[in-house]
Amino acid sequence: MENMQARETETTLTPTQPPYPGLLPTIGFIILYFALQGLCTGIIMAATQDVTIANPTPMPIAIIYGLVASAIVQLFLMWLYLRRKDRMALLGLNDFGRIPLHKATGLAILLVVAAMAFNLAYATYAIPGIGMQEEMAKILAGIARTPFNMAAMFFAIAIAAPVVEELLFRGFLQNALTKYLPIWGAILLSSFLFALVHLQPYAIPGLMSLSIAFGYLYHRTGSLRTNIILHMANNIIALLATQGLN
């Protein structure tokens, strides 16, 4: 009995493993994702231009296919990392969180509507005449409307981007920052970095507002699955709206 108590005491005094997710792996995955985008896009452009110099693949579609290829590689590498030691469950990928689904749905609608209202006011009064996602709109406008291209566009924007971005900026980064910052600081900083990596300085406030909404929703529900579904719905609506206008 005494030996058992001694072993239990020894176990409780054993140093715990580093908190998950760690900040260094998080930074590594974020850098890797954008490095993969550049690498995959460059390889696709080089390969298609070698096939026919007179008619090389247009830059816009090479970017989309680069996004598709890099997302597939990134998701595979992240799956290898997340499948160990219940990491998916710790990020909230296995369920819809700790609050009832109807409350989570109502909160999600409220947060997204508030973010959209801010975006509308910001676009109307702060940057009139400049689209919030003008560069992306130009890329999409330059893509030939073939079935294969449209499928690649839908996968890149409506499926791959929400999954990767929610994993990186909410599941990894926001959680990692809470080890060093209060939750509001972690949400704000991860949202700023999310907006910054889109490389559109004039759109940072608008992108931040939506990211803050996603970050707060994740904090309240604890479900990354809910965030991914909401992010997908947002991107699908935005994609259909922009393509309908075009």
Side-chain angles (χ1 to χ4, degrees), residues 63-241:
I63 293 174
I64 292 298
Y65 285 132
L67 289 174
V68 171
S70 61
I72 292 172
V73 174
Q74 179 81 10
L75 287 172
F76 175 71
L77 294 175
M78 294 177 79
W79 174 77
L80 292 177
Y81 179 73
L82 290 171
R83 66 177 181 157
R84 301 168 52 200
K85 300 178 181 178
D86 295 326
R87 289 174 173 173
M88 291 188 185
L90 289 173
L91 292 187
L93 285 167
N94 295 347
D95 54 52
F96 286 102
R98 53 179 170 261
I99 66 176
L101 185 58
H102 69 280
K103 290 185 177 180
T105 302
L107 178 62
I109 293 172
L110 178 63
L111 290 170
V112 170
V113 168
M116 292 301 180
F118 174 84
N119 282 346
L120 179 61
Y122 175 73
T124 303
Y125 300 107
I127 53 169
I130 302 177
M132 285 288 295
Q133 296 276 2
E134 189 171 6
E135 294 302 319
M136 180 56 70
K138 290 178 181 178
I139 291 172
L140 297 181
I143 296 175
R145 295 305 192 261
T146 66
F148 198 74
N149 286 352
M150 294 296 288
M153 187 190 309
F154 182 85
F155 177 81
I157 296 173
I159 298 176
V163 175
V164 175
E165 289 176 356
E166 288 304 316
L167 281 168
L168 288 178
F169 291 97
R170 248 68 65 186
F172 280 21
L173 185 58
Q174 182 172 309
N175 277 325
L177 289 174
T178 56
K179 310 294 190 304
Y180 310 95
L181 299 171
I183 184 59
W184 60 266
I187 292 174
L188 286 177
L189 182 54
S190 60
S191 295
F192 174 72
L193 294 174
F194 169 82
L196 191 64
V197 299
H198 284 76
L199 301 179
Q200 299 180 61
Y202 53 83
I204 285 177
L207 291 169
M208 271 193 73
S209 68
L210 191 59
S211 183
I212 289 170
F214 287 151
Y216 182 72
L217 179 67
Y218 180 48
H219 167 63
R220 285 291 307 275
T221 66
S223 171
L224 201 61
R225 178 188 292 187
T226 301
N227 268 55
I228 290 172
I229 293 173
L230 181 63
H231 200 148
M232 283 182 175
N234 175 77
N235 283 19
I236 289 171
I237 292 171
L239 181 61
L240 291 177

Side-chain angles (χ1 to χ4, degrees), residues 36-57:
L36 282 172
Q37 286 186 20
L39 178 63
C40 292
T41 301
I43 290 173
I44 290 170
M45 289 182 64
T48 52
Q49 287 179 4
D50 286 340
V51 172
T52 166
I53 300 297
N55 186 27
T57 299

